[in-house]
Amino acid sequence: MEFSRGAIPCAVNIPLLDDEQRRRIGIRYREAGQDAAISLGHELISGAEKEQRLAEWQRFHADNPGARLYCFRGGLRSRIVQEWLDERGIAIPRIAGGYKALRGYLLGVLEKAAARDNLIVVAGKTGCAKTHLLRQLPAHVDLEGHANHRGSAFGPRHGGQPAQIDFENALAVDFIRLAQTQPQRIFVEDESRAIGSLSVPVPLFEAMRESPLAVIEETLENRAETILRDYIIANFDDMRAAEPTAAAERFAGYLTGSLDKIRRRLGLERHGEIRALMEAALERQLRDGSTSQHRTWIEKLLTDYYDPMYEYQLNKKLSRIVFRGNRREFLDWADTMNNDSRHH
């Protein structure tokens, strides 16, 4: 239960207690104190069950000899496991303060990262392939990747989103890794505070609002092609891999449901026009597998809704723009930003 609420990235959950055992020990602690709770714990985890736990930890340690041990507060449970393993000749370092201490440390990392004046925010109209471009840069933080969401009404991805705490922890780990290479510039994608149900941590978001902007400029045709690939083909393939028999129905529900989320902002007439084009494209896709007809509603949605909204927002940020250009020009420019800094 604790692990599902938040864990350190790359952690593996091999707990001393299952949820029911934890519940029973908690009740005993409240009724009779710590010593009684510890005695019950030793009763519950003994004999064959204790041997099974030890075997799991030993196997994991054999495969991961550099591992560290932690529990929620870094106290009793992890110390007991450490002692039991030590009796078997296996020495595993224990993290003082446990998850709570690690969590505090990672929050501090985010605060420090946001305080540094080295972010560049990558902006551009919907479909400019900003996320794909970021992933080609060695010094970047992938907000949408960690959120498992593409950041718009059509953004939900198969598998759902992580917990807010896990999202923040993953971002902090990215900044820790980047610190090893000491890049002068770190690139992030232009996002609103909310990415689906998750929120960009306040210090990072405030820093992004003040950072220089690199604006990607691409043709409508190229942008529609990117959206077709990412939102139509890739999403449908993900759903088909997970649930082959229900994929078509789920995918149609995802597309029409996403469009319905912005019905009020589109207006009833435009929403009705785009929905009719979308349903026709879905019928064609179901009939012969062709996705090409989706381009029609994608282009209309871009020109009638997303592009005007983007241009309005960008006009308020003109003073922050340090680059404008297409994808290739951006990658060349981004490369010089860190290369030039290293030479200096």
Side-chain angles (χ1 to χ4, degrees), residues 54-88:
L54 281 161
E56 289 183 74
W57 297 325
Q58 287 175 278
R59 279 195 299 270
F60 182 80
H61 182 260
D63 293 335
N64 304 274
R68 302 292 186 267
L69 176 68
Y70 79 87
C71 63
F72 187 64
R73 291 182 179 83
L76 189 58
R77 284 173 293 174
S78 56
R79 189 166 69 244
I80 288 171
V81 173
Q82 187 181 47
E83 290 169 356
W84 286 356
L85 287 169
D86 191 58
E87 291 169 1
R88 298 290 177 98

Side-chain angles (χ1 to χ4, degrees), residues 74-222:
L76 189 58
R77 284 173 293 174
S78 56
R79 189 166 69 244
I80 288 171
V81 173
Q82 187 181 47
E83 290 169 356
W84 286 356
L85 287 169
D86 191 58
E87 291 169 1
R88 298 290 177 98
I90 298 172
I92 297 184
R94 183 167 57 93
I95 296 172
Y99 174 74
K100 291 191 77 174
L102 284 168
R103 169 70 175 156
Y105 173 73
L106 293 179
L107 289 174
V109 167
L110 289 176
E111 292 273 0
K112 290 176 184 176
R116 291 191 64 193
D117 190 21
N118 66 342
L119 290 182
I120 292 181
V121 176
V122 181
K125 291 179 178 177
T126 303
C128 282
K130 299 182 288 294
T131 302
H132 295 289
L133 291 169
L134 275 178
R135 290 172 182 169
Q136 295 180 56
L137 304 177
H140 77 278
V141 174
D142 187 357
L143 296 169
E144 291 188 0
H146 287 309
N148 198 38
H149 195 285
R150 292 194 173 99
S152 71
F154 292 82
R157 305 191 66 179
H158 180 73
Q161 294 192 263
Q164 176 71 27
I165 288 175
D166 288 332
F167 174 59
E168 293 169 358
N169 290 346
L171 295 178
V173 168
D174 269 4
F175 281 109
I176 291 170
R177 288 174 175 155
L178 286 167
Q180 309 307 307
T181 61
Q182 298 184 323
Q184 294 299 311
R185 296 288 184 269
I186 295 173
F187 294 85
V188 296
E189 187 170 345
D190 194 15
E191 299 284 355
S192 63
R193 176 85 200 284
I195 306 178
S197 63
L198 301 179
S199 298
V200 178
V202 171
L204 179 59
F205 182 67
E206 292 298 326
M208 290 167 59
R209 290 177 63 183
E210 299 175 1
S211 297
L213 283 179
V215 180
I216 313 299
E217 296 178 329
E218 281 293 339
T219 65
L220 176 64
E221 182 182 8
N222 285 347

Side-chain angles (χ1 to χ4, degrees), residues 267-326:
L268 292 179
E269 185 175 345
R270 274 193 303 181
H271 171 267
E273 291 173 3
I274 295 171
R275 172 124 185 185
L277 293 171
M278 179 184 284
E279 289 173 347
L282 284 166
E283 288 176 15
R284 168 84 183 274
Q285 183 179 359
L286 186 61
R287 185 170 64 250
D288 61 17
S290 172
T291 57
S292 60
Q293 197 168 331
H294 285 287
R295 290 188 182 89
T296 306
W297 70 261
I298 290 171
E299 291 190 3
K300 184 169 181 58
L301 187 60
L302 289 175
T303 55
D304 287 7
Y305 177 68
Y306 281 108
D307 289 0
M309 183 169 58
Y310 167 79
E311 287 161 4
Y312 172 76
Q313 294 294 335
L314 186 65
N315 281 334
K316 297 189 288 186
K317 308 172 185 176
L318 295 177
S319 63
R320 293 166 47 202
I321 296 174
V322 294
F323 169 84
R324 281 182 184 264
N326 63 29

